[in-house]
Every structure is written in structure tokens, then in C-alpha cells.
């Protein structure tokens, strides 16, 4: 996001420049739309090249690596996103430099420790009860470290208001490299296995990490006043541990269904369900894009005490989120089977799962940017009971509904939990921030 997105006025108030925000949102929209198309194409081609079983194993490992990356992060990526704009407003340059450098090192060390523990656990379990995922999981342990660093560097770039640095390496470069790597492996070996694709993904994540790190280091030293770093670990960890629980809960909501399907039913069902999940992600991508742009702005306006400006910003971006999401959702609901058939004829079995997931995402868009508002205004502790309860609810519902209804049961569990999550957080946003994030308020306000 450009530095001119927020202009200072007299006193402590500020006037938000919606034209600049719209411009930044369009840039983010173009990057994310291109990235989502590329990622979706990767999924389609991998499913066709690998078949539903090998593809299911690959996605099972990727889901586990994403889940394990959450505790490895220690909540530090969101802590940087939360605190860096505040330090910038207060011109606390020592803390700003210390936050970026110290948090990166903590994330690295915690990732290595978690990989050691996870590897030991897998070896012990496989020794006493051999399972099909053991070798792929061991082979994919490096993904935990790399995904942790990618996400940390992505959120740091967002906090520095650099959308290009944040998302081009991970959203554009990575899927292109993975697609090319998979194509090469397919033609060299005349087949594509889950192990070879895990190796390709690991190598390409390493390229992204190095690329991101170089861009971030250059920006940090060029655009922020150089000074001796101040390491306030106690302050950061006090915030990050709360955010860790919240992020872990969100990861459970987004990944545990695929993991539980793979464990309960098998890799074929996991592959089919994952195609539905990746397709349903189109419904939420506008919300994600807008949140990427406005998250630091929420912190800045709230830190300045400009609640009126915050409400105007929230109302404006809620409209930007809801109506495009509605169009995308209707398209997916109307053309469910033709879209899933892109993955292969077997993947049409996920049609009902896709429809259910899309409806859940629509409620997400209707409620607005509730989760990011709670975090970026420093109310993450108040949202902790919500995210913890919803994570537990999601696991319980998946455990009950998957055996009863298969992959459709997982979609019901995830969508219902998502509705509870968003409605509950919306109530907390109104109570504690005095801002109304829902599209219903936005439309009513416009009518007046």
C-alpha cells in the first residue's frame, strides 16, 4: 500500500483517502486474482497428472505442513502486522527494527524445534502402526520451516505497506515454478508421484523465501530510519501467543477437514474434497484482498482515535467485498459440475460439498472484516473465546459428520462453524470497537 494512503490532519485526527485505498485495492486485486488463477491451474493440472490418489496424498501433506507451520510461527507474523504500523506512527524505530529481526529469528528457531519433534512423533507412530502417509510426511517436513518463513515475510511486507513485495513471490512466482517443476518431473519420469511433487514444492518455497528476504531487507534499510534494534520480546510474545491461538483456530477451520477426510476415508476422498475447497476459495478471495490492503489502515486509524474515520473505511470496504463476492458465489453455484470436471471426471463427486462451502463463504462476506478488525485494533484477547470454541466445534462436527455424510459432512461442519465464527465476532466488533462491519449496516447507512 502506498504511503500516501493516509494523510495527517490537524491534531490527532486523520482523513482517509479513499481514492488511494481504491487504487491500492485494485493493485492487490490484480495480483491476487492472477495468483489465484495460477494456483487453481496448478491444482487442476496436478490432479490430472497425478490422479486422485497421489494428488490426495500430496494435498494431505500440504495441509499438515500448513497446520504445523501455525505453532511454528508462534503468532509472530500477525504480531508484526499488528505492531509495525503502530511503531511507525509513534516513530519508535528501534522497536520496529528489533521486531522484524527478532521475530524472524524466533520463527526460524521454533520451526526447527517443531520439525524435530514432529519427525520423532511420525517415526514412533509408524514403528508401531505403519501408515501410508508416513514417508510423504517425513519427506515434507522442510515445508513447515519454509511456509513459516514465507508467511512471516509476507505479513512483514504487508505491515510495511508493500503489496508487491508481500504477494508477488508467493502468489505469482511460486505457482509458476511449481507448475513448471511438475511438468518437468512428469516428462522425465513419465509419471508424477506425491513424493516428487513434495520435493518440487519444497525447492520452490526455498526460492520464494530467498526472494522475499532480499526484497524485505532492502526495503527495511532504505525506507525506515536506521537505528539500534530494541528487542521487546516480552511485549511481542504477550501479543503473539494470543494471536497464535487465533491463527491456529483459523487453520483448523480451513485445513482440518481435509486432514480428517484423508484420515477417516482415504487419500482419494481427500483429493476430491480438496478440489471443492480450492474452488470455493474463489468466493472469499475479494474479502482476503481487501483485508490485505486495509489491515494496517485499521491499526493507524484506531491508534489515532479516529473511530468515525474507521467506520467510514469499514463501511466503504464492506461494499467492495460483498457485491463481487455475491457474483462469484452465484457463478460457482450455477456451474458447479462443469468447474469441478476440470480436475477430472471423478472430482464431480464434490459438487454438493462445493455448494455448501460457497454458502458458508457468503456469510463470511456478509459479516465483513470482523476477524482482522479485532486483531488490528488490539482486541485479540477478547476474540480468543470465539476462535477457541469454533476450533473445537469444527473438530467435533467433522468427527461426527464425516462418518455419516462423507465429504459433504465435512463441508457442513466447516460452513456452520464459519457462520458461528463470523456472527459472534461481528457482535464483539460492535461492542468493543463501536464499529458496525456488516453489509446490512452499510446498506442502511447508504440509504440514509
Amino acid at each position: 500500500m502506498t504511503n500516501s494512503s493516509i494523510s495527517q490532519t490537524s491534531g490527532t485526527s486523520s482523513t482517509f483517502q479513499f481514492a488511494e485505498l481504491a487504487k491500492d485495492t485494485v493493485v492487490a486485486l490484480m495480483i491476487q486474482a492472477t495468483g489465484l488463477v495460477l494456483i487453481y491451474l496448478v491444482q487442476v493440472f496436478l490432479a490430472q497428472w497425478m490422479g486422485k490418489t497421489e494428488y490426495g496424498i500430496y494435498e494431505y501433506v500440504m495441509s499438515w505442513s500448513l497446520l504445523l507451520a501455525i505453532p511454528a510461527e508462534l503468532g509472530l507474523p500477525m504480531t508484526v502486522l499488528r505492531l509495525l504500523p503502530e511503531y511507525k506512527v509513534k516513530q519508535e524505530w528501534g522497536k520496529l527494527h528489533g521486531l522484524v529481526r527478532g521475530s524472524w529469528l524466533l520463527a526460524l528457531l521454533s520451526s526447527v524445534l517443531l520439525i524435530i519433534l514432529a519427525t520423532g512423533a511420525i517415526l514412533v507412530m509408524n514403528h508401531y502402526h505403519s501408515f501410508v502417509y508416513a514417508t510423504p510426511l517425513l519427506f515434507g517436513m522442510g515445508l513447515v520451516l519454509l511456509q513459516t518463513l514465507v508467511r512471516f515475510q509476507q505479513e512483514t511486507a504487508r505491515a510495511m505497506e508493500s503489496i508487491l513485495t508481500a504477494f508477488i513471490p508467493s502468489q505469482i512466482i511460486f505457482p509458476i515454478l511449481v507448475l513448471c517443476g511438475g511438468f518437468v518431473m512428469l516428462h522425465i519420469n513419465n509419471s508424477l508421484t506425491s513424493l516428487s511433487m513434495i520435493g518440487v514444492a519444497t525447492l520452490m518455497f526455498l526460492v520464494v523465501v530467498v526472494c522475499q528476504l532480499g526484497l524485505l531487507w532492502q526495503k527495511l534499510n532504505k525506507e525506515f530510519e536506521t537505528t539500534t534494534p530494541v528487542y521487546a520480546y516480552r511485549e511481542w510474545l504477550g501479543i503473539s501467543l494470543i494471536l497464535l491461538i487465533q491463527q491456529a483456530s483459523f487453520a483448523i477451520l480451513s485445513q482440518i477437514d481435509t486432514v480428517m477426510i484423508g484420515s477417516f476415508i482415504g487419500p482419494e476422498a481427500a483429493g476430491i474434497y480438496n478440489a471443492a475447497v480450492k474452488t470455493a476459495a474463489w468466493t472469499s478471495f475479494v474479502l482476503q484482498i481487501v483485508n490485505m490492503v486495509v489491515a494496517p489502515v485499521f491499526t493507524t486509524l484506531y491508534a489515532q482515535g479516529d473511530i468515525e474515520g474507521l467506520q467510514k473505511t469499514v463501511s466503504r470496504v464492506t461494499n467492495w467485498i460483498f457485491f463481487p463476492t455475491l457474483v462469484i458465489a452465484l457463478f460457482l453455484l450455477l456451474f458447479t459440475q462443469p468447474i469441478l470436471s476440470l480436475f477430472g471426471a471423478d472430482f464431480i463427486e464434490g459438487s454438493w460439498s462445493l455448494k455448501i462451502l460457497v454458502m458458508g463463504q457468503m456469510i463470511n462476506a456478509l459479516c465483513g472484516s470482523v476477524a482482522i478488525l479485532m486483531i488490528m485494533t488490539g482486541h485479540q484477547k477478547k476474540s480468543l473465546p470465539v476462535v477457541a470454541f469454533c476450533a473445537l466445534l469444527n473438530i467435533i462436527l467433522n468427527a461426527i459428520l464425516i462418518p455419516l455424510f462423507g465429504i459433504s459432512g465435512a463441508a457442513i461442519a466447516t460452513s456452520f462453524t464459519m457462520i458461528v465464527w463470523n456472527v459472534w465476532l461481528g457482535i464483539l466488533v460492535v461492542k468493543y470497537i463501536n464499529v458496525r462491519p456488516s453489509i446490512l449496516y452499510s446498506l442502511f447507512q447508504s440509504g440514509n
Side-chain angles (χ1 to χ4, degrees):
M1 185 171 157
T2 58
N3 292 331
S4 59
S5 292
I6 299 174
S7 61
Q8 303 296 330
T9 60
S10 60
T12 60
S13 63
S14 64
T15 302
F16 190 75
Q17 302 298 316
F18 288 107
E20 288 294 331
L21 178 58
K23 178 182 176 181
D24 293 332
T25 302
V26 169
V27 172
L29 178 65
M30 294 173 63
I31 295 172
Q32 286 295 104
T34 303
L36 193 55
V37 168
L38 289 171
I39 292 170
Y40 196 71
L41 286 175
V42 169
Q43 301 299 321
V44 169
F45 280 110
L46 290 184
Q48 293 178 353
W49 294 342
M50 300 171 72
K52 62 181 181 180
T53 301
E54 288 296 316
Y55 175 70
I57 294 173
Y58 169 74
E59 284 300 327
Y60 183 86
V61 172
M62 293 299 290
S63 293
W64 263 116
S65 69
L66 283 168
L67 283 174
L68 291 175
I70 300 304
E73 293 171 3
L74 297 176
L76 292 167
M78 290 303 295
T79 302
V80 173
L81 183 62
R82 162 72 179 85
L83 290 178
L84 194 148
E86 182 178 319
Y87 289 163
K88 182 180 176 182
V89 169
K90 297 178 180 179
Q91 297 186 350
E92 295 179 336
W93 306 118
K95 280 190 174 183
L96 189 150
H97 284 274
L99 174 66
V100 175
R101 299 179 187 188
S103 297
W104 190 93
L105 181 59
L106 282 176
L108 175 66
L109 295 175
S110 63
S111 298
V112 172
L113 177 60
L114 190 140
I115 288 171
I116 294 172
L117 294 175
T119 300
I122 294 169
L123 290 173
V124 170
M125 288 189 294
N126 192 55
H127 176 74
Y128 289 102
H129 181 70
S130 180
F131 62 108
V132 67
Y133 300 112
T135 300
L137 284 171
L138 290 171
F139 198 62
M141 278 295 103
L143 289 168
V144 177
L145 169 62
L146 296 172
Q147 294 203 75
T148 298
L149 294 180
V150 165
R151 176 166 158 74
F152 177 86
Q153 292 169 178
Q154 176 178 293
E155 297 307 305
T156 302
R158 282 179 64 193
M160 293 180 181
E161 303 181 353
S162 178
I163 296 297
L164 298 180
T165 302
F167 295 108
I168 285 182
S170 60
Q171 301 296 319
I172 306 296
I173 296 175
F174 176 72
I176 291 175
L177 292 176
V178 167
L179 192 61
C180 293
F183 180 81
V184 171
M185 293 296 293
L186 176 66
H187 285 270
I188 290 176
N189 300 322
N190 295 318
S191 64
L192 191 59
T193 66
S194 55
L195 288 180
S196 60
M197 271 313 303
I198 292 169
V200 169
T202 302
L203 177 61
M204 301 318 171
F205 264 123
L206 180 60
V207 173
V208 170
V209 166
V210 174
C211 180
Q212 280 181 325
L213 185 60
L215 293 172
L216 274 178
W217 189 260
Q218 182 182 27
K219 186 175 180 64
L220 182 66
N221 292 320
K222 181 179 179 181
E223 299 188 13
F224 297 95
E225 182 178 319
T226 303
T227 186
T228 303
V230 176
Y231 298 100
Y233 287 113
R234 181 175 296 181
E235 175 189 356
W236 304 336
L237 291 175
I239 296 173
S240 71
L241 294 180
I242 300 297
L243 295 178
L244 169 61
I245 298 173
Q246 190 168 56
Q247 186 62 27
S249 301
F250 183 77
I252 289 172
L253 184 59
S254 62
Q255 300 293 331
I256 200 66
D257 44 4
T258 300
V259 169
M260 292 181 74
I261 287 172
S263 300
F264 288 2
I265 305 177
E268 296 89 351
I272 293 170
Y273 183 75
N274 186 73
V277 171
K278 291 296 190 292
T279 303
W282 282 97
T283 318
S284 64
F285 102 102
V286 176
L287 173 65
Q288 294 172 1
I289 289 166
V290 174
N291 284 345
M292 289 169 190
V293 177
V294 302
V297 176
F298 289 160
T299 296
T300 302
L301 291 173
Y302 192 76
Q304 294 170 340
D306 188 4
I307 302 301
E308 182 180 354
L310 182 59
Q311 177 65 72
K312 289 179 180 178
T313 303
V314 170
S315 296
R316 184 68 62 91
V317 301
T318 299
N319 283 285
W320 296 351
I321 292 168
F322 181 76
F323 293 105
T325 300
L326 179 61
V327 173
I328 295 170
L330 290 175
F331 179 82
L332 292 177
L333 291 173
L334 288 172
F335 300 101
T336 300
Q337 292 193 5
I339 293 171
L340 286 177
S341 67
L342 295 172
F343 291 83
D346 293 337
F347 290 85
I348 296 177
E349 294 178 31
S351 295
W352 274 107
S353 297
L354 174 56
K355 291 177 180 179
I356 295 167
L357 291 169
V358 167
M359 295 306 297
Q361 291 289 358
M362 275 302 303
I363 302 300
N364 194 7
L366 187 147
C367 291
S369 306
V370 289
I372 201 70
L373 270 168
M374 292 296 289
I375 293 172
M376 301 308 293
T377 56
H379 292 87
Q380 60 276 353
K381 288 186 179 180
K382 297 180 177 67
S383 64
L384 183 58
V386 181
V387 298
F389 173 81
C390 287
L392 180 60
L393 176 65
N394 189 238
I395 294 172
I396 294 172
L397 288 178
N398 272 292
I400 295 172
L401 296 178
I402 290 174
L404 291 175
F405 304 109
I407 61 175
S408 294
I412 294 170
T414 298
S415 294
F416 180 78
T417 307
M418 191 179 302
I419 292 170
V420 174
W421 170 298
N422 280 280
V423 172
W424 194 348
L425 284 180
I427 294 171
L428 295 185
V429 168
V430 175
K431 180 178 180 180
Y432 293 110
I433 308 176
N434 197 26
V435 166
R436 288 156 179 79
S438 171
I439 184 64
L440 299 178
Y441 176 81
S442 178
L443 293 175
F444 177 81
Q445 184 187 49
S446 300
N448 289 292

